[in-house]
């Protein structure tokens, strides 16, 4: 599951990067999941960042996470001409690490103590078409 953030954090993201915030809704109106991110960089050096992605337990393993990730990757590429998309995931969350690897992400580095100084994170990245090297 995603980290829990306070309401101010969500409002900050939705105000500053509204084009990087998407929610999946079931036809009955139930929220299936959401993704939020942002564009990071300076000048011409931009990349997309996945801040949080969550899919409700009853909607997992049907491709929703993959669909939302593709959407954020497309925003990063087409709107910001980004070089890559990155995300951080708990190193102990092997299911998520493998899911992201299936989506084309690789572990770029391990960040010691990223989660409250107690748990490491994998900084995972996926190159976008602009990154030819």
């Amino acid at each position: 599951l995603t980290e829990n953030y306070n309401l101010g954090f969500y409002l900050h993201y939705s105000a500053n990067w509204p084009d990087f915030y998407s929610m999946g809704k079931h036809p009955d109106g139930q929220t299936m999941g959401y993704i939020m991110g942002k564009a990071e960089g300076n000048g011409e050096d931009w990349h997309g960042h996945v801040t949080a992605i969550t899919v409700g337990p009853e909607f997992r393993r049907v491709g929703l996470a993959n669909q939302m990730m593709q959407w954020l990757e497309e925003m990063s590429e087409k709107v910001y001409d980004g070089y890559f998309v990155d995300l951080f995931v708990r190193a102990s969350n092997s299911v998520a690490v493998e899911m992201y690897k299936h989506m084309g992400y690789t572990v770029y580095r391990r960040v010691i103590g990223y989660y409250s100084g107690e748990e490491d994170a994998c900084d995972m990245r996926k190159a976008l078409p602009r990154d030819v090297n």
Side-chain angles (χ1 to χ4, degrees), residues 24-42:
K25 290 275 204 178
H26 191 273
D28 69 6
Q30 188 177 12
T31 299
M32 298 186 302
Y34 73 90
I35 188 168
M36 60 188 254
K38 61 183 176 178
E40 297 180 322
N42 295 313

Side-chain angles (χ1 to χ4, degrees), residues 82-101:
Y83 281 100
F84 61 90
V85 173
D86 72 348
L87 59 90
F88 292 86
V89 62
R90 289 180 185 274
S92 64
N93 190 346
S94 59
V95 172
V97 170
E98 288 304 312
M99 177 187 74
Y100 293 126
K101 284 181 178 179

